[in-house]
């Protein structure tokens, strides 16, 4: 008999996301940040969620992508959001991206890597547009473009090839979309759709489902048997008198 | 310095008070059950020590002394033995009244499944028990 392993641990989603800074041409040399992520959450080798949200809101102009263990990333970003809001109310000033990074890295270092969330923090504050990545043990990097998660290698290869400073908005969005698509197709831990979040000094625009490259395939043939393929020898029908008390319809994801 | 409970039982006559402190287990008292158990148990303590040490180096001995006196006074502001105190004065002194941590989200005493027996706890505190 096979032992069934029940997992109470939440699904780990090694996904990829990437961000980069670019200068928007239509905004007087204003800076912006584009965050991108796929939408697959996995539980080892099983897809737990085909369309999850990996880009979390921290402040009106600071967003966060969380990779690693889903619950850890979720709770870490929620706590950052709460602390940032309290800090804003206390000081009366909008938050800095560096502040979010510092609080995050101090918390992750305190838990010595047991809190398995790798996070990319990006946003625009009074000092400009910034991008940081924070690893589960508490180290961080500040770079023009960053990738994290299992699909990081696939995505960063696209960036290394085509990134240049001062790109236009559309070109930049296409680059981020292509990098995530590379991860969706070349990495098993990433899949489904591409989510983008464009943050500028004017505000943040969350483009959920910006692109859906991995659609369902078309079935090429008919695989059903004709009625009568299996001969019926005898038939007994026993009617049961039942009353319908409650009826629900739940659609399954079949053909 | 890491405090290890159990080697000096707190019951009367120096033996473990099973009614109030539970069963003894030498392994549980010597070895931590999680790599972070000891560091988390002493986290606030160590943070305070570090802050006081820095304060002493910057502003002299009396700054941490005065603050520690205030901490002691604030720690004494409690409710009846079976009620959970908000420790607002202590939080304000420490500066943790405007941050949210896991201690604020998890293990909310208002949601606790168990409660102490009020009469017994007050009698124990007053030494009548």
């Amino acid at each position: 008999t096979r032992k069934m392993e029940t997992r109470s641990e939440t699904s780990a989603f090694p996904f990829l996301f990437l961000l980069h800074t670019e200068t928007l041409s239509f905004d007087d040399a204003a800076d912006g940040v584009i965050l991108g992520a796929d939408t697959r959450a996995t539980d080892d080798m099983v897809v737990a969620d085909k369309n999850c949200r990996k880009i979390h809101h921290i402040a009106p102009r600071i967003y966060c992508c969380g990779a690693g263990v889903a619950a850890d990333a979720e709770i870490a970003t929620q706590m950052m959001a709460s602390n940032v809001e309290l800090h804003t109310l206390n000081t009366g000033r909008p938050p800095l991206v560096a502040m979010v990074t510092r609080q995050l890295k101090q918390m992750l270092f305190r838990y010595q890597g047991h809190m398995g969330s790798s996070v990319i923090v990006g946003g625009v504050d009074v000092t400009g547009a910034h991008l940081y990545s924070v690893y589960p043990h508490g180290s961080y990097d500040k770079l023009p473009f960053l990738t994290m998660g299992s699909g990081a290698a696939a995505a960063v290869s696209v960036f290394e090839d085509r990134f240049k400073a001062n790109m236009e908005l559309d070109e930049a969005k296409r680059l981020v979309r292509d990098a995530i698509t590379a991860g969706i197709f070349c990495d098993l831990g990433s899949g489904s759709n591409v989510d983008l979040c464009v943050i500028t000094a004017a505000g943040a625009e969350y483009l959920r489902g910006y692109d859906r490259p991995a659609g369902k395939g078309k079935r090429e043939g008919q695989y059903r048997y004709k009625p009568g393929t299996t001969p019926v020898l005898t038939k007994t029908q026993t009617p049961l008198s039942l009353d319908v008390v409650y009826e629900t319809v739940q659609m399954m994801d079949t053909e | 310095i890491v405090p290890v409970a159990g080697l000096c039982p707190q019951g009367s006559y120096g033996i473990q008070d099973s009614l109030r402190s539970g069963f003894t287990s030498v392994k549980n008292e010597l070895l931590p059950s999680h790599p972070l158990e000891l560091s988390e148990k002493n986290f606030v303590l160590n943070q305070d020590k570090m802050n006081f040490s820095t304060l002493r180096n910057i502003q002299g001995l009396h700054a941490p002394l005065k603050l520690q006196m205030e901490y002691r006074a604030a720690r004494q502001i409690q409710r009846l033995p079976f009620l959970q105190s908000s420790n607002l004065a202590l939080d304000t002194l420490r500066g943790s009244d405007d941050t949210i941590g896991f201690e604020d989200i998890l293990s909310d005493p208002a949601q606790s499944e168990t409660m102490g027996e009020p009469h017994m706890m007050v009698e124990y505190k007053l030494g009548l028990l």
Side-chain angles (χ1 to χ4, degrees):
Chain A
T1 54
R2 220 158 30 115
K3 192 168 75 159
M4 287 287 282
E5 200 179 61
T6 51
R7 270 176 218 276
S8 58
E9 180 64 53
T10 57
S11 53
F13 50 171
F15 60 86
L16 65 92
F17 48 87
L18 29 95
L19 337 150
H20 68 280
T21 54
E22 37 85 16
T23 309
L24 306 180
S25 64
F26 56 86
D27 222 2
D28 268 340
D31 266 344
V33 168
I34 300 189
L35 298 170
D38 73 315
T39 58
R40 173 180 286 185
T42 62
D43 190 357
D44 248 3
M45 284 295 119
V46 175
V47 173
D49 193 343
K50 289 187 284 200
N51 203 5
C52 67
R53 285 166 186 268
K54 301 190 185 180
I55 306 184
H56 309 284
H57 163 99
I58 296 211
R61 280 178 204 68
I62 301 179
Y63 276 70
C64 203
C65 301
V69 180
D72 289 347
E74 187 74 39
I75 206 80
T77 50
Q78 278 178 357
M79 284 188 29
M80 287 306 113
S82 305
N83 279 325
V84 154
E85 182 64 27
L86 284 174
H87 189 266
T88 306
L89 290 168
N90 226 346
T91 57
R93 293 176 168 83
L96 298 174
V97 186
M99 186 196 112
V100 178
T101 306
R102 176 167 285 212
Q103 288 195 338
L104 206 49
K105 77 164 159 74
Q106 283 178 350
M107 179 171 81
L108 292 174
F109 182 76
R110 172 179 169 174
Y111 294 113
Q112 289 291 297
H114 287 273
M115 198 161 168
S117 61
S118 16
V119 155
I120 292 191
V121 187
V124 175
D125 53 37
V126 288
T127 56
H130 302 283
L131 195 60
Y132 292 90
S133 70
V134 186
Y135 287 84
H137 284 262
S139 66
Y140 74 99
D141 287 315
K142 186 181 193 309
L143 292 166
F145 61 88
L146 290 158
T147 63
M148 276 239 184
S150 66
V156 85
S157 66
V158 176
F159 268 159
E160 296 279 2
D161 188 28
R162 285 157 50 187
F163 177 81
K164 25 186 218 299
N166 302 343
M167 270 189 279
E168 310 248 335
L169 175 62
D170 291 323
E171 192 190 347
K173 275 159 74 167
R174 242 177 297 129
L175 178 60
V176 176
R177 197 267 316 274
D178 288 346
I180 304 226
T181 310
I184 288 175
F185 286 131
C186 307
D187 170 48
L188 293 178
S190 320
S192 299
N193 315 326
V194 176
D195 284 351
L196 285 191
C197 185
V198 182
I199 309 176
T200 57
E205 196 192 343
Y206 191 165
L207 303 160
R208 178 119 170 99
Y210 178 74
D211 188 28
R212 290 161 209 269
K216 213 174 161 74
K218 197 170 85 72
R219 222 174 266 251
E220 293 298 323
Q222 270 286 6
Y223 302 105
R224 289 185 169 273
Y225 289 103
K226 281 200 298 293
T229 307
T230 310
V232 177
L233 299 178
T234 52
K235 194 153 75 166
T236 338
Q237 271 183 330
T238 313
L240 296 171
S241 56
L242 300 170
D243 296 322
V244 177
V245 175
Y246 180 66
E247 187 179 299
T248 58
V249 174
Q250 190 172 21
M251 302 295 291
M252 279 175 68
D253 229 5
T254 56
E255 62 184 1
Chain B
I1 300 165
V2 166
V4 178
L7 293 178
C8 315
Q10 275 121 1
S12 49
Y13 309 113
I15 52 168
Q16 176 75 0
D17 197 347
S18 304
L19 183 69
R20 294 192 188 91
S21 338
F23 295 117
T24 52
S25 164
V26 180
K27 179 164 166 263
N28 277 347
E29 286 153 19
L30 292 176
L31 298 175
S33 29
H34 189 274
L36 290 177
E37 181 182 335
L38 293 176
S39 89
E40 279 298 304
K41 206 188 282 188
N42 302 321
F43 186 77
V44 178
L45 226 71
N46 287 334
Q47 207 181 31
D48 284 347
K49 268 194 209 155
M50 193 173 71
N51 289 336
F52 282 137
S53 160
T54 315
L55 194 58
R56 181 196 173 148
N57 290 333
I58 296 175
Q59 295 190 12
L61 180 62
H62 276 262
L65 275 184
K66 279 205 173 88
L67 271 179
Q68 275 178 324
M69 193 180 73
E70 289 179 30
Y71 273 52
R72 263 180 206 236
R75 220 174 274 137
Q76 286 175 1
I77 305 170
Q78 297 285 317
R79 294 186 178 184
L80 287 172
F82 53 92
L83 291 175
Q84 195 76 14
S85 167
S86 66
N87 289 321
L88 187 57
L90 199 56
D91 271 350
T92 311
L93 272 179
R94 212 176 255 139
S96 60
D97 59 336
D98 54 5
T99 49
I100 287 190
F102 284 118
E103 60 274 4
D104 302 309
I105 306 172
L106 303 171
S107 186
D108 182 13
Q111 314 280 344
S112 165
E113 299 120 3
T114 57
M115 194 184 94
E117 166 64 17
H119 296 286
M120 265 181 62
M121 290 174 81
V122 174
E123 284 175 17
Y124 181 67
K125 180 160 183 260
L126 294 175
L128 303 170
L129 200 64

